[in-house]
Amino acid sequence: MTHFTDLNLHKQVLKAVTAEGYETPTPIQAQAIPYLLDRRDLLGIAQTGTGKTAAFALPTLDHLVQAGQNRRPKSTKVLVLAPTRELAGQIAESFQTYSKYMDCVTQTVFGGVKINRQIRALEKGCHVLVATPGRLLDLVNQGAVTLGDVEILILDEADQMLDMGFIHDLRKIIARVPDQRQTLLFSATMPKDISDLAQKYLSDPVRVSVAPESTTAERVTQGVIHVANNDKLQILGKLLDDPDVDRALVFTRTKHGADKVVRKLMAKKYPAQAIHGNKSQSQRLKALAAFKSGDCRILVATDIAARGIDIDGISHVINFEMPNVPEQYVHRIGRTARAGRDGISISLVAEDELYYLRDIEKTTRVEVDVLPAPEGCEELVLPTPDPNLRVRKPKGPARRSGRPQRGSRNGPGASGEQVSKAKQRSRKRPGKNQRRRDREKAKA
Ligand code: AMP
């Protein structure tokens, strides 16, 4: 087994790793760090929870120590791009932790907060800049920072950045970074647009891939309860009453859904907060801090907001609504199995979500156990559907991300929003013959 001491990291970096209590590198660290120290480009397929932040931060800091730690005003040597403010904040925190025995200034910039403080913070320059693409581009356009000194460019959660529509910003940013650089691209999934991106911006990259999507799912004890949409809240309350639920992350598919669940839970005196894209930065940070400290043990989140959240001790992930993409499910339940620990996930599946459950089981190659009804809810739980029953994909365009479509409040196939077949038929314009018959009837 590899130890951190075998990896040839600079002693100042190693000291911080030891201070963190890390002994053995995680698989992605063991695979990636030697190549990154050789300054190779890298394409990493890994999710949060695998230790990927240290996999790119440690060799990056090693380079900074070796290369001398001078910095020029309004510039940075390392640029890390991340899709969300939460993830950017977490990456910056990791860089600060791992660089505490060296002279390294890490700055973070993201949208949703006033820009002036960020402009001032960048004036003296930094070694590591962690940014979300939109705000960074604003700052570059305003002349608050230049990217001409970037030696290492890291794109984290690239699939999420593309999902969020950042591709044009990414292109503009990369065009301002010198061609002579080391580039690292991390993504949880490898769709074609990511391999195109890698082809365009990476030079002869090493490819490392860890924890194929199915293995993360296997570490989590997964269960499902079949229940009608209208009864989900009651079941959720019962599940949260279980004293084993220390800290629960509850997923809905939409921001509106998250707010609604929080409202209903609060009305029943459950301490719950929501985190999603419509919340201000300070509301999000406050909710996260309360959840981290244990003051609020229920966090209701949408997929985008929760992605990349690194909180230890989430005992349960509850899918109040099923995601319509299997990868999203894997990301969700992965929030509870951090750094090799186990966790429990419970999915509340309504009839119109059965297709998604089947799709998830096929992708992860794990059959999710049907759980017994929570006490007092026996009447509410639906019978287990016959596994041979053919379920059709709910109507709606195929989408990679779980985000709702523009113009539809809850997105395709959203629970409670689905229009039944009979209704759809009845809404259809009647045929020519039918219209003639109707006219004749009306005349008569
Ligand atoms: P990440 O995938 O980067 O979000 O990391 C997930 C969690 O694993 C973080 O809380 C890290 O502090 C922790 N971690 C990273 N590397 C190691 C390691 N080698 N040993 C123990 N914990 C680690």
Side-chain angles (χ1 to χ4, degrees):
M1 185 189 282
T2 320
H3 289 272
F4 273 107
T5 40
D6 304 328
L7 288 178
N8 228 357
L9 287 163
H10 193 280
K11 62 177 189 301
Q12 278 165 280
V13 181
L14 202 55
K15 198 172 162 191
V17 170
T18 313
E20 270 303 281
Y22 300 174
E23 284 167 12
T24 48
T26 64
I28 185 128
Q29 291 162 2
Q31 286 180 51
I33 291 175
Y35 289 109
L36 294 177
L37 289 173
D38 275 348
R39 313 240 38 229
R40 291 281 303 269
D41 281 6
L42 181 128
L43 174 59
I45 307 299
Q47 309 165 15
T48 42
T50 54
K52 74 178 157 75
T53 317
F56 63 72
L58 300 177
T60 299
L61 291 170
D62 182 282
H63 170 72
L64 287 177
V65 192
Q66 312 272 7
Q69 293 160 38
N70 57 325
R71 61 184 155 127
R72 293 200 309 137
K74 297 186 181 182
S75 76
T76 183
K77 290 192 162 179
V78 176
L79 175 62
V80 187
L81 294 173
T84 61
R85 0 177 173 181
E86 280 78 16
L87 186 59
Q90 259 167 221
I91 295 170
E93 229 173 77
S94 298
F95 267 98
Q96 276 151 0
T97 304
Y98 304 139
S99 67
K100 65 179 168 199
Y101 298 109
M102 54 189 273
D103 171 27
C104 173
V105 176
T106 300
Q107 296 289 3
T108 323
V109 296
F110 43 69
V113 291
K114 292 213 173 87
I115 202 164
N116 288 348
R117 245 172 75 186
Q118 296 177 350
I119 294 176
R120 278 199 302 280
L122 289 169
E123 255 160 25
K124 287 190 182 157
C126 56
H127 298 102
V128 179
L129 178 59
V130 189
T132 54
R135 176 53 62 96
L136 177 67
L137 210 52
D138 275 357
L139 287 159
V140 168
N141 290 338
Q142 292 191 29
V145 62
T146 56
L147 304 179
D149 284 357
V150 171
E151 293 168 11
I152 303 178
L153 171 67
I154 301 165
L155 308 175
D156 196 15
E157 306 233 340
D159 51 351
Q160 175 90 341
M161 286 200 274
L162 296 196
D163 267 4
M164 292 174 76
F166 281 136
I167 184 67
H168 301 296
D169 289 352
L170 282 183
R171 284 205 192 107
K172 286 182 199 157
I173 291 167
I174 300 174
R176 291 167 186 258
V177 174
D179 290 339
Q180 274 296 335
R181 59 167 194 255
Q182 185 181 20
T183 312
L184 285 56
L185 187 155
F186 287 87
S187 179
T189 54
M190 195 58 202
K192 187 172 175 305
D193 46 5
I194 293 293
S195 51
D196 290 350
L197 198 72
Q199 183 123 29
K200 186 146 191 244
Y201 295 117
L202 302 184
S203 156
D204 185 24
V206 181
R207 291 173 71 107
V208 296
S209 169
V210 294
E213 307 254 304
S214 56
T215 52
T216 311
E218 280 159 13
R219 276 215 323 268
V220 181
T221 309
Q222 302 169 61
V224 56
I225 297 176
H226 295 280
V227 57
N229 283 313
N230 287 343
D231 295 328
K232 282 187 174 181
L233 264 166
Q234 207 172 328
I235 300 257
L236 176 65
K238 273 284 169 205
L239 292 173
L240 295 171
D241 286 340
D242 182 343
D244 286 345
V245 180
D246 278 341
R247 211 168 293 176
L249 185 55
V250 178
F251 280 96
T252 59
R253 212 157 35 208
T254 65
K255 303 168 197 172
H256 169 76
D259 283 337
K260 191 168 149 194
V261 170
V262 167
R263 262 198 323 274
K264 302 263 178 184
L265 287 177
M266 300 272 282
K268 292 185 177 173
K269 305 272 179 282
Y270 290 94
Q273 299 206 29
I275 170 169
H276 56 65
N278 282 1
K279 298 273 177 192
S280 71
Q281 175 63 5
S282 68
Q283 283 172 320
R284 287 159 79 153
L285 289 177
K286 235 164 100 186
L288 271 183
F291 190 56
K292 264 187 189 173
S293 70
D295 283 349
C296 170
R297 64 181 187 100
I298 305 160
L299 190 66
V300 185
T302 55
D303 291 287
I304 302 271
R307 190 138 166 197
I309 287 181
D310 176 24
I311 295 175
D312 288 338
I314 296 178
S315 60
H316 290 68
V317 164
I318 300 178
N319 291 310
F320 187 80
E321 288 168 336
M322 292 301 275
N324 50 2
V325 203
E327 284 97 334
Q328 212 70 272
Y329 174 84
V330 178
H331 286 302
R332 287 182 179 190
I333 69 170
R335 304 302 94 215
T336 175
R338 312 294 291 173
R341 287 201 216 150
D342 292 337
I344 293 174
S345 94
I346 302 174
S347 299
L348 305 184
V349 175
E351 221 176 335
D352 58 6
E353 296 171 303
L354 199 53
Y355 176 86
Y356 301 133
L357 175 68
R358 296 275 164 83
D359 200 19
I360 287 160
E361 289 181 323
K362 217 161 62 196
T363 308
T364 59
R365 297 188 291 276
V366 174
E367 201 177 313
V368 182
D369 289 334
V370 175
L371 299 176
E375 221 184 296
C377 293
E378 292 76 7
E379 303 271 283
L380 302 181
V381 168
L382 299 174
T384 306
D386 177 353
N388 297 320
L389 179 80
R390 278 177 66 89
V391 274
R392 276 173 198 272
K393 187 172 186 169
K395 287 237 156 48
R399 286 166 48 72
R400 283 196 49 241
S401 104
R403 273 175 296 145
Q405 295 270 288
R406 203 173 286 200
S408 102
R409 227 177 62 198
N410 279 3
S415 51
E417 286 287 306
Q418 280 205 319
V419 182
S420 74
K421 281 246 165 60
K423 263 193 193 157
Q424 279 176 7
R425 266 198 302 273
S426 73
R427 279 183 195 174
K428 259 202 228 150
R429 191 162 185 246
K432 220 157 91 189
N433 288 340
Q434 181 64 45
R435 288 204 305 273
R436 184 171 44 80
R437 276 196 298 273
D438 288 348
R439 270 198 308 273
E440 280 164 6
K441 237 195 218 162
K443 268 188 212 158

